[in-house]
Amino acid sequence: MSNFEFLKTINENLYIIAADAENLFRDKYFEQCMAQTRRLGEHLCRLVMGESAKDTDTFDEMLATLKDTPSPSEIEKEFIDDLYFLKKAGNKAVHSLNVSNDGKEALECLERAFEASINYAVYKGGASEELLNKIFDEELLITGKKSKKISLQEEYIAKKKQWIEEEKKLSQSEDEEPTKKSKKSKKKKAKNKDTYEDTFSEGSAEAKKPLWREILETILAGIVIYVCYLLFFNK
């Protein structure tokens, strides 16, 4: 079993290269392992670039093109950084005059290759985002058997992400609710204001009568009083 098992369904060629790198590490061929992870990194780089990469382009040229991408995301920066590390370490292993028996750098190459492969699988290969929860398993690398500790860590990471997402949704719904209430309150206030203004304007119209109308009403009142006087008192 391999840490790169997920690559089988994404790109079998990548899986074979990665699995070979792990086998070389187990057999303590550390420099050859590093050279193989460099090869994996170059293949990943070419796959990401697609048709924009020429057959004659070197690993350096392709990386330079990726680095010049305007406003790269954090994932893209991480991916490019991993590829640069694999290239540099692989070149060092191939061209070094002295043979190195230190497996520490080879292990880091495998871990970087693992992270770069996951990012490629999820963001270019169509794999589920659940794959982002996976952790490189050193026990699996050495023994071929998955560590129970790593399995529990992956489970915890998945749960933690789920909790964070649920908290975000809850927070968003709480933020939206006062906004809705505020909008309703504003509408209600505006409506009350309009009603008040209408009533006030009607009252003002009644209070402020034209002068000719007041004179006419006074004359009519006088006529009514005079007629009443003639009818009741002038007998």
Side-chain angles (χ1 to χ4, degrees):
M1 198 172 176
S2 166
N3 279 291
F4 297 86
E5 207 75 25
F6 61 89
L7 282 175
K8 275 185 177 179
T9 55
I10 303 296
N11 187 308
E12 193 171 358
N13 188 51
L14 290 176
Y15 167 73
I16 292 169
I17 296 171
D20 281 347
E22 285 185 309
N23 289 332
L24 288 165
F25 184 91
R26 285 191 200 100
D27 295 335
K28 297 185 179 180
Y29 293 114
F30 300 128
E31 289 180 328
Q32 289 86 340
C33 168
M34 291 161 69
Q36 191 73 342
T37 57
R38 182 201 181 282
R39 183 184 176 194
L40 178 66
E42 186 168 349
H43 276 256
L44 287 169
C45 189
R46 191 170 289 279
L47 286 168
V48 166
M49 289 190 66
E51 293 180 359
S52 60
K54 299 175 185 176
D55 293 338
T56 55
D57 284 348
T58 64
F59 196 1
D60 277 324
E61 288 170 336
M62 290 188 293
L63 277 175
T65 303
L66 283 181
K67 193 176 180 181
D68 289 339
T69 303
S71 304
S73 66
E74 288 303 313
I75 297 295
E76 288 170 330
K77 288 178 184 176
E78 180 186 302
F79 181 76
I80 293 168
D81 184 56
D82 286 335
L83 295 188
Y84 264 109
F85 182 89
L86 295 176
K87 179 186 75 69
K88 185 178 178 181
N91 288 348
K92 178 184 170 184
V94 171
H95 300 296
S96 177
L97 295 175
N98 299 315
V99 177
S100 173
N101 291 318
D102 183 11
K104 187 177 178 181
E105 195 168 8
L107 178 60
E108 186 173 356
C109 283
L110 282 171
E111 290 172 346
R112 295 265 194 159
F114 176 78
E115 293 298 331
S117 297
I118 283 180
N119 283 331
Y120 167 75
V122 172
Y123 297 107
K124 286 290 184 180
S128 168
E129 288 192 10
E130 290 180 7
L131 192 60
L132 298 171
N133 302 328
K134 286 188 73 64
I135 300 171
F136 187 84
D137 190 342
E138 291 184 26
E139 190 175 320
L140 176 61
L141 170 66
I142 304 301
T143 65
K145 294 180 180 179
K146 192 167 179 64
S147 164
K148 290 182 180 179
K149 182 182 176 182
I150 292 294
S151 296
L152 288 171
Q153 282 180 308
E154 290 175 349
E155 216 173 294
Y156 171 74
I157 289 169
K159 285 287 183 187
K160 189 176 179 181
K161 285 183 178 179
Q162 188 181 341
W163 294 334
I164 290 169
E165 285 301 315
E166 286 174 358
E167 282 179 4
K168 279 183 182 177
K169 287 179 183 177
L170 184 63
S171 177
Q172 285 173 355
S173 63
E174 286 175 352
D175 288 342
E176 286 171 3
E177 194 61 32
T179 305
K180 288 178 182 177
K181 286 180 180 178
S182 177
K183 285 180 180 177
K184 286 181 181 178
S185 177
K186 284 179 181 177
K187 285 181 181 178
K188 191 174 180 181
K189 284 179 181 178
K191 189 177 178 182
N192 290 342
K193 185 182 177 185
D194 291 342
T195 307
Y196 172 77
E197 285 177 351
D198 290 344
T199 306
F200 182 79
S201 61
E202 285 172 8
S204 297
E206 288 177 5
K208 294 180 181 179
K209 296 177 183 178
L211 183 60
W212 64 267
R213 187 173 175 181
E214 289 182 6
I215 294 169
L216 183 60
E217 287 177 354
T218 304
I219 293 170
L220 288 172
I223 293 169
V224 169
I225 293 169
Y226 179 70
V227 169
C228 290
Y229 173 78
L230 291 174
L231 290 172
F232 296 103
F233 298 103
N234 192 19
K235 291 181 179 180

